[in-house]
Amino acid sequence: MPDTRTTRPLDDDNGDGSDSMLPTKRAKTSVSDTSLQTYLSLGLPMDQALAKSYTHFSPLPPCNGDDEDGFVLGVDEAGRGPVLGPMVYATCFCRESYYSELSSLGFADSKQLTEAQRDELFAKLQATKIQAHAGWSIRCISPQDISHCMLRRTKYSLNALAHDATIQLIQDVLERGVPITKVFVDTVGPPESYQRKLQELFPKISIVVAKKADSLYPIVSAASICAKVTRDAHLSHWVFTERWLQDTISKEYGSGYPGDPNTIKWLRSSIDPVFGYPGIIRFSWSTCTKLLDERAVKVGWADDEDAPKGNKSKFFTRSNGVDSRQRSKFFSCNRSIQLASSL
């Protein structure tokens, strides 16, 4: 059986980055009672800067080709709407014969539970008794990757990103030898067309895509909790890719939703007039772009079509090909910026 615990980087309700449809009330993000060491022991990289997206699997329940007991799998997300932090998609899957017992543990929509309740239920999924019948996985999409996808010339919407994360997670579970027979998904966009899309990709599996699936199906509720706990843990233990900010900038950024006063306060106080925001921000969100327009230095970018032809590296070096200028560490160390000529 393949490795049952992996962390793999990325190789590579409004999909346009606007905030008008985002909720204004969400549970406050605070430091969880679950220690950093607990997450690290599960293989979750909470002590590292989240510059790239990654996939993580829990230990898998034992199964083989002769196992007649199929598995039911649920998919849900956390952090789709915030202007900062990762978006996390998660699955939870268990044997059909164990589904009733798993459902009796009290799984519900993560947004309806307190942080302590979510942590307790997430901890239950790590129990040896439950791991004999169930497992979970997450796809943690970094804010930098979200920005990159949504701001590139060929638009890659948040909906497309969400669909692809779901498809990848289901496919990854199947490739690890888990015999999935039923899948329940909390919808992104119209449930009918999304269900048809997934059914065409996985014709041998019974697929149900529904609104509020996290309130209807306990296996989706369990996935919702895995997603929410992972996102909150990353925010609580956030490691800035801009190393010098780690001890100099506040982490009182609230839930990350534009309707959260703490988030807006943090955005207003943390903007740099030249560099803008650190990598925790999703730059495609209108909340971010409006504040940058209002408070940051105006920058004009020449279109690629108007740029001069030929080798552009000459603009970054001396005429004799040697660049001996001493640059401030502010640019090389503190901001993790590299010379264009060295790339």
Side-chain angles (χ1 to χ4, degrees), residues 264-283:
I264 296 301
K265 180 181 178 181
W266 186 88
L267 289 171
R268 291 184 179 278
S269 63
S270 302
I271 192 169
D272 184 288
V274 175
F275 293 100
Y277 289 111
I280 191 174
I281 290 294
R282 303 175 187 180
F283 289 91

Side-chain angles (χ1 to χ4, degrees), residues 24 51 86 101 116 176 185 216 245 259 275 294 324 337 342:
T24 56
E101 186 169 347
R176 282 166 169 74
V185 181
L216 300 173
L245 289 177
F275 293 100
E294 294 172 3
S324 59
I337 293 176
S342 68

Side-chain angles (χ1 to χ4, degrees), residues 13-32:
D13 293 309
N14 212 356
D16 61 0
S18 66
D19 306 318
S20 58
M21 300 297 291
L22 300 181
T24 56
K25 289 186 178 180
R26 290 285 171 148
K28 179 182 178 182
T29 300
S30 60
V31 178
S32 169

